[in-house]
Amino acid sequence: MEPVKNTTGSKILATFQTPEREVNIESRLQLETYIASADHHAVEAADRREVLSRLAQPQKTLPAKYFYDARGSELFEEICGLPEYYPTRTEAWILDRYAGEIASATGLCELVELGSGSSTKTRALLDSYCNLGGALRYSPIDVSRTILTDSARQLLRDYPTLRVRGAIATYDHALASLPPTDLPSRMLVFLGSSLGNLTPGECDRLFDQVQGFLDAGEYFLLGVDLHKSTAQLEAAYNDSRGVTAEFNLNVLAHLNRRFGANFDRANFEHWAFYNEGDRQIELHLRCLRGHEVTIGDRSITFTEGETIRTEISRKFDVEAVWQQLDRHDLEPINVWRDPQNWFASILSRRRVR
Ligand SMILES: C[S@@+](CC[C@H](N)C(=O)[O-])C[C@H]1O[C@@H](n2cnc3c(N)ncnc32)[C@H](O)[C@@H]1O
């Protein structure tokens, strides 16, 4: 809030007014937390059970969503600007160049974005839909409350005709519960190759959910990171400044806070490599010495050298994704790539029968 100034310009210290622009922002912003408070304890308990069960497997793993508390989202934004991390700037290049074609192909649409984060790349799409004229609507979905609300407010400041309907929710919750749009159509957007964080089985399930979410004739824009050399891939996840290592280790602080665990990050180190057989980057936390960790009343044993796999980032082949979309009744329409063929944006449409 700005202090109100009198006609001579001096501040009237006791009187504060909400600026007109900020009022407009709040009236154009709708935020929903899709984990209703009544369900909250059940959801927390289910998440905790999932974490315990994954940490009880011979290869301990965690879902990628635990990277993203407020600090994790901040670190991810830092990663996006690193010279070694090519995916963000390459996808941004494709969207900056081709967003106009994408908007022309779909016509007026509400943009619904899974895992929206800072929504930085989405701005190219918003600009193009703005140029089409008509109402500008955006529904970001993210588990990370702080980054979603901060970026939604910034977008509302920058796009005076925009309305935002944000959902603090997992992909699962949002795809099952988001209400329909009052615009002629919707385009579900899934950028950053976040699809690569899902196993093939999880990916198939997500496509089932996308198929169920979209009405006939609605669109799906998917960003996928493509196969490339091991050296380039491994450099992107082992940056020289250690930001990715910090991002990886931050998972432990998130688990401590969320589930009352007592992980000590000094007992782990970041490890990332390209698994050529499975065509995926793997992020692990490698245990430096044998020790026990407690999560609530449960105890987990870690031996020296064993790892928790914290993320997979699968690398794709456009033709295979194209066929997989098609099998889910998502008719591929067009694909846009960068000149080096590092990244692709694939537009498909829920088939009209
Ligand atoms: C890799 S970042 C990508 C952010 C942005 N889309 C981009 O391309 O730069 C993944 C984003 O998805 C969110 N996220 C991760 N898992 C999620 C889940 N299961 N449900 C909803 N959001 C999730 C994270 O909080 C994060 O903002």
Side-chain angles (χ1 to χ4, degrees):
M1 285 196 300
E2 295 281 330
V4 178
K5 290 180 181 171
N6 66 16
T7 47
T8 60
S10 61
K11 287 176 186 172
I12 302 167
L13 289 174
T15 313
F16 284 83
Q17 239 178 31
T18 308
E20 186 70 17
R21 261 171 98 219
E22 295 289 330
V23 172
N24 276 336
I25 285 171
E26 294 311 318
S27 69
R28 290 183 285 125
L29 175 63
Q30 194 183 326
L31 279 177
E32 309 234 9
T33 302
Y34 272 79
I35 303 157
S37 54
D39 291 337
H40 186 69
H41 291 300
V43 171
E44 287 289 303
D47 281 353
R48 183 174 172 277
R49 269 198 308 279
E50 188 197 8
V51 165
L52 285 169
S53 142
R54 281 173 173 257
L55 294 179
Q57 305 301 315
Q59 171 61 71
K60 296 174 164 71
T61 64
L62 287 169
K65 68 181 175 185
Y66 292 112
F67 283 130
Y68 299 98
D69 58 359
R71 174 77 183 132
S73 296
E74 235 173 62
L75 287 164
F76 180 72
E77 286 310 300
E78 216 177 307
I79 289 171
C80 290
L82 292 170
E84 298 95 333
Y85 196 75
Y86 64 86
T88 307
R89 63 170 185 277
T90 310
E91 188 177 37
W93 184 91
I94 296 173
L95 294 176
D96 284 346
R97 188 169 178 109
Y98 298 114
E101 284 187 25
I102 296 169
S104 305
T106 67
L108 189 60
C109 265
E110 171 163 339
L111 299 185
V112 181
E113 181 168 3
L114 293 174
S116 49
S118 65
S119 305
T120 308
K121 286 171 287 184
T122 320
R123 285 169 176 258
L125 294 167
L126 289 171
D127 288 342
S128 296
Y129 283 93
C130 212
N131 291 339
L132 285 186
L136 196 58
R137 299 264 204 289
Y138 179 48
S139 295
I141 297 153
D142 206 292
V143 281
S144 187
R145 176 185 297 273
T146 316
I147 196 150
L148 185 142
T149 50
D150 288 355
S151 24
R153 289 204 165 88
Q154 193 52 51
L155 287 174
L156 289 163
R157 272 180 215 112
D158 297 341
Y159 294 84
T161 61
L162 177 68
R163 287 185 174 274
V164 173
R165 192 164 60 164
I168 296 136
T170 60
Y171 309 142
D172 289 354
H173 274 104
L175 290 172
S177 346
L178 277 192
T181 179
D182 54 358
L183 293 193
S185 190
R186 289 177 300 182
M187 178 165 76
L188 185 66
V189 181
F190 197 26
L191 304 182
S193 204
S194 294
L195 184 75
N197 300 147
L198 308 179
T199 64
E202 290 167 343
C203 179
D204 233 32
R205 201 174 134 250
L206 183 98
F207 281 1
D208 282 342
Q209 292 171 315
V210 170
Q211 181 181 354
F213 173 77
L214 294 176
D215 289 333
E218 291 188 326
Y219 297 90
F220 182 37
L221 181 69
L222 177 64
V224 286
D225 194 11
L226 306 177
H227 296 299
K228 52 187 68 64
S229 77
T230 299
Q232 188 185 355
L233 287 168
E234 291 192 341
Y237 295 84
N238 286 293
D239 67 276
S240 55
R241 286 178 41 206
V243 186
T244 313
E246 188 58 33
F247 175 69
N248 197 4
L249 284 159
N250 180 62
V251 161
L252 301 176
H254 191 182
L255 293 182
N256 285 351
R257 200 174 47 254
R258 179 94 189 269
F259 301 113
N262 68 346
F263 282 100
D264 178 351
R265 57 182 275 155
N267 287 331
F268 294 89
E269 68 178 359
H270 166 74
W271 180 41
F273 65 96
Y274 187 51
N275 173 339
E276 291 188 24
D278 292 334
R279 298 185 127 190
Q280 61 192 22
I281 280 283
E282 296 189 8
L283 258 62
H284 291 248
L285 287 171
R286 185 162 38 205
C287 175
L288 296 171
R289 53 196 74 81
H291 67 289
E292 301 264 311
V293 170
T294 57
I295 300 187
D297 56 357
R298 294 277 296 276
S299 178
I300 299 152
T301 303
F302 284 89
T303 54
E304 184 181 334
E306 82 162 311
T307 70
I308 311 173
R309 196 184 67 206
T310 46
E311 182 180 73
I312 56 167
S313 180
R314 292 166 56 224
K315 304 303 160 190
F316 295 95
D317 174 87
V318 169
E319 288 66 35
V321 178
W322 188 276
Q323 283 165 19
Q324 200 180 359
L325 289 165
D326 204 40
R327 282 197 298 278
H328 287 82
D329 222 12
L330 296 159
E331 175 187 19
I333 293 180
N334 207 345
V335 55
W336 294 271
R337 307 170 201 234
D338 58 294
Q340 302 97 327
N341 206 22
W342 286 349
F343 206 95
S345 301
I346 306 175
L347 180 68
S348 59
R349 176 176 47 197
R350 176 84 154 85
R351 208 166 258 114
V352 183
R353 297 205 174 271

PDB file of all heavy atoms in Angstrom, residues 299-321:
ATOM      1  N   SER A 299      11.013 -45.333  11.575  1.00  0.00           N
ATOM      2  CA  SER A 299      12.456 -45.169  11.422  1.00  0.00           C
ATOM      3  C   SER A 299      12.909 -45.804  10.102  1.00  0.00           C
ATOM      4  O   SER A 299      12.431 -46.881   9.732  1.00  0.00           O
ATOM      5  CB  SER A 299      13.101 -45.845  12.629  1.00  0.00           C
ATOM      6  OG  SER A 299      14.475 -45.747  12.513  1.00  0.00           O
ATOM      7  N   ILE A 300      13.810 -45.126   9.390  1.00  0.00           N
ATOM      8  CA  ILE A 300      14.290 -45.632   8.096  1.00  0.00           C
ATOM      9  C   ILE A 300      15.809 -45.722   8.156  1.00  0.00           C
ATOM     10  O   ILE A 300      16.475 -44.772   8.581  1.00  0.00           O
ATOM     11  CB  ILE A 300      13.890 -44.678   6.954  1.00  0.00           C
ATOM     12  CG1 ILE A 300      12.364 -44.589   6.904  1.00  0.00           C
ATOM     13  CG2 ILE A 300      14.400 -45.147   5.612  1.00  0.00           C
ATOM     14  CD1 ILE A 300      11.882 -43.294   6.373  1.00  0.00           C
ATOM     15  N   THR A 301      16.326 -46.881   7.729  1.00  0.00           N
ATOM     16  CA  THR A 301      17.781 -47.077   7.777  1.00  0.00           C
ATOM     17  C   THR A 301      18.405 -46.703   6.435  1.00  0.00           C
ATOM     18  O   THR A 301      17.895 -47.101   5.383  1.00  0.00           O
ATOM     19  CB  THR A 301      18.092 -48.565   8.076  1.00  0.00           C
ATOM     20  OG1 THR A 301      17.446 -48.889   9.296  1.00  0.00           O
ATOM     21  CG2 THR A 301      19.577 -48.822   8.201  1.00  0.00           C
ATOM     22  N   PHE A 302      19.472 -45.934   6.488  1.00  0.00           N
ATOM     23  CA  PHE A 302      20.242 -45.589   5.285  1.00  0.00           C
ATOM     24  C   PHE A 302      21.644 -46.174   5.426  1.00  0.00           C
ATOM     25  O   PHE A 302      22.270 -46.003   6.469  1.00  0.00           O
ATOM     26  CB  PHE A 302      20.352 -44.066   5.127  1.00  0.00           C
ATOM     27  CG  PHE A 302      19.092 -43.437   4.626  1.00  0.00           C
ATOM     28  CD1 PHE A 302      18.108 -43.020   5.506  1.00  0.00           C
ATOM     29  CD2 PHE A 302      18.878 -43.275   3.261  1.00  0.00           C
ATOM     30  CE1 PHE A 302      16.935 -42.448   5.037  1.00  0.00           C
ATOM     31  CE2 PHE A 302      17.710 -42.696   2.785  1.00  0.00           C
ATOM     32  CZ  PHE A 302      16.742 -42.286   3.676  1.00  0.00           C
ATOM     33  N   THR A 303      22.115 -46.853   4.374  1.00  0.00           N
ATOM     34  CA  THR A 303      23.486 -47.372   4.413  1.00  0.00           C
ATOM     35  C   THR A 303      24.374 -46.505   3.527  1.00  0.00           C
ATOM     36  O   THR A 303      23.887 -45.874   2.574  1.00  0.00           O
ATOM     37  CB  THR A 303      23.541 -48.835   3.910  1.00  0.00           C
ATOM     38  OG1 THR A 303      22.927 -48.872   2.624  1.00  0.00           O
ATOM     39  CG2 THR A 303      22.805 -49.775   4.842  1.00  0.00           C
ATOM     40  N   GLU A 304      25.650 -46.493   3.825  1.00  0.00           N
ATOM     41  CA  GLU A 304      26.585 -45.650   3.067  1.00  0.00           C
ATOM     42  C   GLU A 304      26.544 -46.019   1.581  1.00  0.00           C
ATOM     43  O   GLU A 304      26.589 -47.203   1.239  1.00  0.00           O
ATOM     44  CB  GLU A 304      28.004 -45.847   3.622  1.00  0.00           C
ATOM     45  CG  GLU A 304      29.002 -44.940   2.955  1.00  0.00           C
ATOM     46  CD  GLU A 304      30.415 -45.148   3.488  1.00  0.00           C
ATOM     47  OE1 GLU A 304      30.563 -45.585   4.641  1.00  0.00           O
ATOM     48  OE2 GLU A 304      31.354 -44.879   2.719  1.00  0.00           O
ATOM     49  N   GLY A 305      26.432 -45.048   0.717  1.00  0.00           N
ATOM     50  CA  GLY A 305      26.463 -45.283  -0.733  1.00  0.00           C
ATOM     51  C   GLY A 305      25.086 -45.490  -1.343  1.00  0.00           C
ATOM     52  O   GLY A 305      24.927 -45.362  -2.555  1.00  0.00           O
ATOM     53  N   GLU A 306      24.090 -45.828  -0.535  1.00  0.00           N
ATOM     54  CA  GLU A 306      22.768 -46.018  -1.152  1.00  0.00           C
ATOM     55  C   GLU A 306      22.148 -44.655  -1.477  1.00  0.00           C
ATOM     56  O   GLU A 306      22.579 -43.626  -0.953  1.00  0.00           O
ATOM     57  CB  GLU A 306      21.842 -46.874  -0.270  1.00  0.00           C
ATOM     58  CG  GLU A 306      21.145 -46.139   0.825  1.00  0.00           C
ATOM     59  CD  GLU A 306      19.943 -46.904   1.367  1.00  0.00           C
ATOM     60  OE1 GLU A 306      19.102 -47.379   0.574  1.00  0.00           O
ATOM     61  OE2 GLU A 306      19.837 -46.997   2.603  1.00  0.00           O
ATOM     62  N   THR A 307      21.142 -44.668  -2.367  1.00  0.00           N
ATOM     63  CA  THR A 307      20.605 -43.386  -2.835  1.00  0.00           C
ATOM     64  C   THR A 307      19.079 -43.326  -2.722  1.00  0.00           C
ATOM     65  O   THR A 307      18.411 -44.356  -2.693  1.00  0.00           O
ATOM     66  CB  THR A 307      20.965 -43.142  -4.323  1.00  0.00           C
ATOM     67  OG1 THR A 307      20.229 -44.054  -5.141  1.00  0.00           O
ATOM     68  CG2 THR A 307      22.447 -43.279  -4.587  1.00  0.00           C
ATOM     69  N   ILE A 308      18.587 -42.080  -2.674  1.00  0.00           N
ATOM     70  CA  ILE A 308      17.157 -41.821  -2.891  1.00  0.00           C
ATOM     71  C   ILE A 308      17.082 -41.218  -4.291  1.00  0.00           C
ATOM     72  O   ILE A 308      17.752 -40.203  -4.559  1.00  0.00           O
ATOM     73  CB  ILE A 308      16.577 -40.768  -1.921  1.00  0.00           C
ATOM     74  CG1 ILE A 308      16.942 -41.048  -0.474  1.00  0.00           C
ATOM     75  CG2 ILE A 308      15.069 -40.638  -2.112  1.00  0.00           C
ATOM     76  CD1 ILE A 308      16.510 -39.919   0.493  1.00  0.00           C
ATOM     77  N   ARG A 309      16.305 -41.827  -5.187  1.00  0.00           N
ATOM     78  CA  ARG A 309      16.127 -41.217  -6.510  1.00  0.00           C
ATOM     79  C   ARG A 309      15.028 -40.166  -6.373  1.00  0.00           C
ATOM     80  O   ARG A 309      13.873 -40.481  -6.108  1.00  0.00           O
ATOM     81  CB  ARG A 309      15.764 -42.269  -7.551  1.00  0.00           C
ATOM     82  CG  ARG A 309      15.948 -41.744  -8.975  1.00  0.00           C
ATOM     83  CD  ARG A 309      15.512 -42.740 -10.017  1.00  0.00           C
ATOM     84  NE  ARG A 309      14.081 -42.916  -9.935  1.00  0.00           N
ATOM     85  CZ  ARG A 309      13.434 -44.013 -10.310  1.00  0.00           C
ATOM     86  NH1 ARG A 309      14.098 -45.056 -10.775  1.00  0.00           N
ATOM     87  NH2 ARG A 309      12.129 -44.099 -10.210  1.00  0.00           N
ATOM     88  N   THR A 310      15.411 -38.890  -6.525  1.00  0.00           N
ATOM     89  CA  THR A 310      14.474 -37.797  -6.271  1.00  0.00           C
ATOM     90  C   THR A 310      13.753 -37.327  -7.538  1.00  0.00           C
ATOM     91  O   THR A 310      12.724 -36.680  -7.453  1.00  0.00           O
ATOM     92  CB  THR A 310      15.205 -36.596  -5.637  1.00  0.00           C
ATOM     93  OG1 THR A 310      16.415 -36.372  -6.379  1.00  0.00           O
ATOM     94  CG2 THR A 310      15.535 -36.855  -4.188  1.00  0.00           C
ATOM     95  N   GLU A 311      14.348 -37.614  -8.701  1.00  0.00           N
ATOM     96  CA  GLU A 311      13.685 -37.188  -9.945  1.00  0.00           C
ATOM     97  C   GLU A 311      14.168 -38.029 -11.114  1.00  0.00           C
ATOM     98  O   GLU A 311      15.340 -38.401 -11.173  1.00  0.00           O
ATOM     99  CB  GLU A 311      13.996 -35.714 -10.252  1.00  0.00           C
ATOM    100  CG  GLU A 311      13.286 -35.208 -11.495  1.00  0.00           C
ATOM    101  CD  GLU A 311      13.588 -33.746 -11.817  1.00  0.00           C
ATOM    102  OE1 GLU A 311      14.695 -33.427 -12.267  1.00  0.00           O
ATOM    103  OE2 GLU A 311      12.689 -32.916 -11.604  1.00  0.00           O
ATOM    104  N   ILE A 312      13.224 -38.288 -12.032  1.00  0.00           N
ATOM    105  CA  ILE A 312      13.654 -38.735 -13.361  1.00  0.00           C
ATOM    106  C   ILE A 312      13.229 -37.624 -14.320  1.00  0.00           C
ATOM    107  O   ILE A 312      12.248 -36.921 -14.063  1.00  0.00           O
ATOM    108  CB  ILE A 312      13.006 -40.079 -13.794  1.00  0.00           C
ATOM    109  CG1 ILE A 312      11.474 -40.006 -13.746  1.00  0.00           C
ATOM    110  CG2 ILE A 312      13.534 -41.231 -12.959  1.00  0.00           C
ATOM    111  CD1 ILE A 312      10.795 -41.172 -14.436  1.00  0.00           C
ATOM    112  N   SER A 313      13.996 -37.441 -15.369  1.00  0.00           N
ATOM    113  CA  SER A 313      13.624 -36.474 -16.397  1.00  0.00           C
ATOM    114  C   SER A 313      13.811 -37.184 -17.729  1.00  0.00           C
ATOM    115  O   SER A 313      14.921 -37.240 -18.262  1.00  0.00           O
ATOM    116  CB  SER A 313      14.490 -35.224 -16.266  1.00  0.00           C
ATOM    117  OG  SER A 313      14.127 -34.314 -17.262  1.00  0.00           O
ATOM    118  N   ARG A 314      12.728 -37.798 -18.202  1.00  0.00           N
ATOM    119  CA  ARG A 314      12.809 -38.604 -19.421  1.00  0.00           C
ATOM    120  C   ARG A 314      12.949 -37.710 -20.639  1.00  0.00           C
ATOM    121  O   ARG A 314      12.433 -36.599 -20.658  1.00  0.00           O
ATOM    122  CB  ARG A 314      11.565 -39.493 -19.539  1.00  0.00           C
ATOM    123  CG  ARG A 314      11.547 -40.564 -18.449  1.00  0.00           C
ATOM    124  CD  ARG A 314      10.195 -41.219 -18.320  1.00  0.00           C
ATOM    125  NE  ARG A 314       9.762 -41.781 -19.562  1.00  0.00           N
ATOM    126  CZ  ARG A 314       8.521 -41.657 -20.051  1.00  0.00           C
ATOM    127  NH1 ARG A 314       7.603 -40.977 -19.395  1.00  0.00           N
ATOM    128  NH2 ARG A 314       8.199 -42.202 -21.188  1.00  0.00           N
ATOM    129  N   LYS A 315      13.694 -38.212 -21.611  1.00  0.00           N
ATOM    130  CA  LYS A 315      13.905 -37.471 -22.853  1.00  0.00           C
ATOM    131  C   LYS A 315      13.116 -38.176 -23.958  1.00  0.00           C
ATOM    132  O   LYS A 315      13.053 -39.413 -23.986  1.00  0.00           O
ATOM    133  CB  LYS A 315      15.406 -37.397 -23.181  1.00  0.00           C
ATOM    134  CG  LYS A 315      16.237 -36.789 -22.034  1.00  0.00           C
ATOM    135  CD  LYS A 315      15.763 -35.389 -21.624  1.00  0.00           C
ATOM    136  CE  LYS A 315      16.217 -34.973 -20.242  1.00  0.00           C
ATOM    137  NZ  LYS A 315      15.604 -33.759 -19.734  1.00  0.00           N
ATOM    138  N   PHE A 316      12.522 -37.383 -24.847  1.00  0.00           N
ATOM    139  CA  PHE A 316      11.481 -37.927 -25.721  1.00  0.00           C
ATOM    140  C   PHE A 316      11.859 -37.909 -27.187  1.00  0.00           C
ATOM    141  O   PHE A 316      12.804 -37.233 -27.610  1.00  0.00           O
ATOM    142  CB  PHE A 316      10.184 -37.133 -25.524  1.00  0.00           C
ATOM    143  CG  PHE A 316       9.605 -37.281 -24.134  1.00  0.00           C
ATOM    144  CD1 PHE A 316       9.882 -36.336 -23.147  1.00  0.00           C
ATOM    145  CD2 PHE A 316       8.799 -38.358 -23.815  1.00  0.00           C
ATOM    146  CE1 PHE A 316       9.354 -36.472 -21.865  1.00  0.00           C
ATOM    147  CE2 PHE A 316       8.266 -38.502 -22.536  1.00  0.00           C
ATOM    148  CZ  PHE A 316       8.544 -37.555 -21.567  1.00  0.00           C
ATOM    149  N   ASP A 317      11.008 -38.611 -27.914  1.00  0.00           N
ATOM    150  CA  ASP A 317      11.088 -38.692 -29.347  1.00  0.00           C
ATOM    151  C   ASP A 317       9.719 -38.194 -29.824  1.00  0.00           C
ATOM    152  O   ASP A 317       8.693 -38.701 -29.361  1.00  0.00           O
ATOM    153  CB  ASP A 317      11.286 -40.197 -29.599  1.00  0.00           C
ATOM    154  CG  ASP A 317      11.253 -40.560 -31.021  1.00  0.00           C
ATOM    155  OD1 ASP A 317      12.307 -40.483 -31.628  1.00  0.00           O
ATOM    156  OD2 ASP A 317      10.178 -40.946 -31.520  1.00  0.00           O
ATOM    157  N   VAL A 318       9.696 -37.174 -30.695  1.00  0.00           N
ATOM    158  CA  VAL A 318       8.423 -36.533 -31.057  1.00  0.00           C
ATOM    159  C   VAL A 318       7.426 -37.554 -31.611  1.00  0.00           C
ATOM    160  O   VAL A 318       6.250 -37.562 -31.230  1.00  0.00           O
ATOM    161  CB  VAL A 318       8.634 -35.383 -32.074  1.00  0.00           C
ATOM    162  CG1 VAL A 318       7.312 -34.911 -32.658  1.00  0.00           C
ATOM    163  CG2 VAL A 318       9.347 -34.223 -31.406  1.00  0.00           C
ATOM    164  N   GLU A 319       7.912 -38.444 -32.488  1.00  0.00           N
ATOM    165  CA  GLU A 319       6.982 -39.388 -33.139  1.00  0.00           C
ATOM    166  C   GLU A 319       6.308 -40.288 -32.104  1.00  0.00           C
ATOM    167  O   GLU A 319       5.110 -40.563 -32.195  1.00  0.00           O
ATOM    168  CB  GLU A 319       7.717 -40.243 -34.192  1.00  0.00           C
ATOM    169  CG  GLU A 319       8.111 -39.472 -35.462  1.00  0.00           C
ATOM    170  CD  GLU A 319       9.168 -38.371 -35.221  1.00  0.00           C
ATOM    171  OE1 GLU A 319      10.067 -38.575 -34.362  1.00  0.00           O
ATOM    172  OE2 GLU A 319       9.090 -37.294 -35.848  1.00  0.00           O
ATOM    173  N   ALA A 320       7.079 -40.723 -31.087  1.00  0.00           N
ATOM    174  CA  ALA A 320       6.507 -41.616 -30.061  1.00  0.00           C
ATOM    175  C   ALA A 320       5.449 -40.868 -29.240  1.00  0.00           C
ATOM    176  O   ALA A 320       4.377 -41.416 -28.933  1.00  0.00           O
ATOM    177  CB  ALA A 320       7.611 -42.153 -29.161  1.00  0.00           C
ATOM    178  N   VAL A 321       5.723 -39.603 -28.893  1.00  0.00           N
ATOM    179  CA  VAL A 321       4.747 -38.827 -28.109  1.00  0.00           C
ATOM    180  C   VAL A 321       3.494 -38.590 -28.957  1.00  0.00           C
ATOM    181  O   VAL A 321       2.361 -38.717 -28.482  1.00  0.00           O
ATOM    182  CB  VAL A 321       5.340 -37.466 -27.648  1.00  0.00           C
ATOM    183  CG1 VAL A 321       4.319 -36.654 -26.887  1.00  0.00           C
ATOM    184  CG2 VAL A 321       6.587 -37.671 -26.804  1.00  0.00           C
TER     185      VAL A 321
END
